[in-house]
Amino acid sequence: MKTSLSLEQLKEAAMQYGTPLYVYDAEKIVSQYQHLLSHFSSQTTRFFYACKSLTNIHILNVIKNAGCNIDCSSINEVKLAIHVGFLPNNILYTSNSVGFDEIIEAVQLGINVNIDSLSNLEKFGAKYGSAYPVGVRIRPNVMAGGNLKISTGHDKSKFGIPVTQLDELKTIQEKYNITITTLHIHTGSEIKDVHIFMQSAEVFEKMLDQFPAVQVLDFGGGFKVPYKPDETGTDIAALGNAVDAFMQRMIAKTGRALIAWFEPGKYLVSEAGFFIAQVNVLKQSGETIFAGINTGLNHLIRPMFYDAYHHILNISNPGAQLKNYAVVGNICETDTFAWDRPIATIHEGDFIMFLNAGAYGYEMASNYNARFKPAQVLFETGVSKLISRRDEFEDLLNLQVPLTK
Ligand code: LLP
């Protein structure tokens, strides 16, 4: 567990703020960003944090203060970024299937915009002509990513303009004289293989001649981080070398001041987050021991939705003998976090901690079964602070129109 936080600090946070609880380590976020910076040329690379992975404004503030830019997937994420003080030039909005009114709003805010359909590009051309530089998202027809649900570049994916429709793209660009300054490809999430990123580079290289205003080659996000103890993530040093060399070659070939952009989400926040719950019930059933905990798919859906592995530690009793458990939630449907998982011997009341909970954990949480969303806590320089409170009963009623008597 590479974090600046000790198990003792995490346990104390659980006792102080109650469980279930999301805890984040600001230092880890910053060190992940610095690791990226150290392996890519600062002249030809910019990073935009894919904030869909975790949008709490205190986290966005850590990212902003580290000097990182921000990538948004909805106009409300853009507004959160502006709220935190990101400058328009440092905000990127990669839209998909959005109404054109959102794109108009993004243009009014003066941010960078990537468009992912010919339909919206046509509307964009008709409204803005060459007046506002814009990016286009291309779908390379490459299958890659940790799981089908998080693979976005294949030929059945809803994302991007298919690479087979470049002629139509060029026709629309010429018809309205649109200033296309960015080519964007995001192939999927949890891509370990550097070669997959370089397939995007090949598509970019083929397109550069046809699109003479292009300055930015946006490789999207999707760097793999280790989830299992023996796993390794994307080799960032190798990726940095390959992309730097490619960019130098493209700059020499085109004579343009090209720059590469990346949109990491998981890479910046996944390992910086911990989700702590408590064991309500132990239940022996045949060979299986169920550990029923005070959370469920309403708070961490990744294991059920993507069959994702999250490493689980018993932080109340970390040194105890390992036993196999089925760790299950308290939601009224099957919400299994782990099956047959060796964990240090569990007693009812123990604190159970999920690793890699920073990205798409709290962010995908809901109030299913009318349960409260958990609180979130951020550690900075060894000190913890509450960054969003746990729901209260009134929150369940807040948006509902009161009954009339
Ligand atoms: N850029 C674009 C255009 C994206 O669609 C995404 C993620 C990213 C960047 C950031 O990808 P990352 O670096 O985080 O892999 N909820 C799923 C992941 C969905 C990813 C959606 N797009 C999960 O929990 O695995």
Side-chain angles (χ1 to χ4, degrees), residues 50 52-53 71 94 137 150 184 186 188-190 220-223 263-267 302 306 359-360 364:
K52 77 201 73 179
S53 51
D71 168 52
T94 300
R137 177 171 182 170
I150 55 173
H184 173 282
H186 171 79
S189 194
E190 297 182 25
F223 306 155
E263 304 159 0
K266 281 179 186 162
Y267 191 80
R302 302 194 71 258
Y306 309 110
Y360 311 104
M364 295 178 79

Side-chain angles (χ1 to χ4, degrees), residues 160-301:
I161 298 165
V163 70
T164 48
Q165 293 176 9
L166 292 187
D167 288 347
E168 289 95 316
L169 169 60
K170 186 67 192 160
T171 304
I172 295 172
Q173 186 267 319
E174 281 175 350
K175 180 169 162 198
Y176 300 103
N177 194 23
I178 304 171
T179 315
I180 295 182
T181 47
T182 300
L183 302 177
H184 173 282
I185 294 179
H186 171 79
T187 313
S189 194
E190 297 182 25
I191 296 174
K192 184 169 171 183
D193 191 353
V194 169
H195 171 70
I196 299 293
F197 292 95
M198 299 324 287
Q199 287 186 338
S200 303
E202 282 171 28
V203 174
F204 293 149
E205 180 166 6
K206 288 198 187 104
M207 292 181 67
L208 274 170
D209 273 354
Q210 271 189 296
F211 295 93
V214 165
Q215 312 244 316
V216 176
L217 303 177
D218 182 343
F219 288 79
F223 306 155
K224 179 168 171 48
V225 293
Y227 277 82
K228 294 185 177 156
D230 54 353
E231 244 175 13
T232 50
T234 311
D235 182 340
I236 297 298
L239 180 64
N241 285 337
V243 170
D244 283 357
F246 170 74
M247 293 305 290
Q248 287 316 320
R249 193 161 64 72
M250 289 305 102
I251 289 167
K253 186 171 161 187
T254 61
R256 289 183 234 168
L258 296 169
I259 185 155
W261 287 5
F262 286 93
E263 304 159 0
K266 281 179 186 162
Y267 191 80
L268 294 183
V269 296
S270 174
E271 294 165 280
F274 306 88
F275 182 47
I276 308 176
Q278 251 170 310
V279 178
N280 282 338
V281 171
L282 286 172
K283 184 188 284 184
Q284 179 87 43
S285 165
E287 299 283 277
T288 306
I289 314 172
F290 288 102
I293 59 181
N294 64 348
T295 179
L297 63 77
N298 53 329
H299 295 159
L300 179 62
I301 201 171

Side-chain angles (χ1 to χ4, degrees), residues 21-71:
L21 183 72
Y22 274 95
V23 181
Y24 308 108
D25 173 9
E27 251 173 67
K28 177 69 176 172
I29 297 175
V30 174
S31 77
Q32 289 291 99
Y33 177 54
Q34 282 167 348
H35 191 245
L36 287 179
L37 289 182
S38 71
H39 286 292
F40 288 81
S41 152
S42 60
Q43 303 297 309
T44 55
T45 325
R46 274 175 83 187
F47 296 97
F48 293 73
Y49 166 55
C51 73
K52 77 201 73 179
S53 51
L54 183 59
T55 55
N56 184 285
I57 54 175
H58 296 264
I59 301 293
L60 302 189
N61 206 37
V62 168
I63 298 274
K64 187 191 69 161
N65 291 341
C68 188
N69 311 288
I70 189 161
D71 168 52

Side-chain angles (χ1 to χ4, degrees), residues 299-347:
H299 295 159
L300 179 62
I301 201 171
R302 302 194 71 258
M304 303 85 193
F305 203 44
Y306 309 110
D307 293 323
Y309 178 97
H310 282 263
H311 200 59
I312 302 174
L313 300 173
N314 177 358
I315 60 172
S316 293
N317 212 0
Q321 205 196 342
L322 295 178
K323 266 182 161 177
N324 279 359
Y325 293 93
V327 179
V328 294
N330 59 358
I331 285 299
C332 198
E333 61 177 279
T334 303
D335 54 350
T336 308
F337 289 104
W339 191 260
D340 246 343
R341 179 75 66 83
I343 300 174
T345 304
I346 296 176
H347 301 97

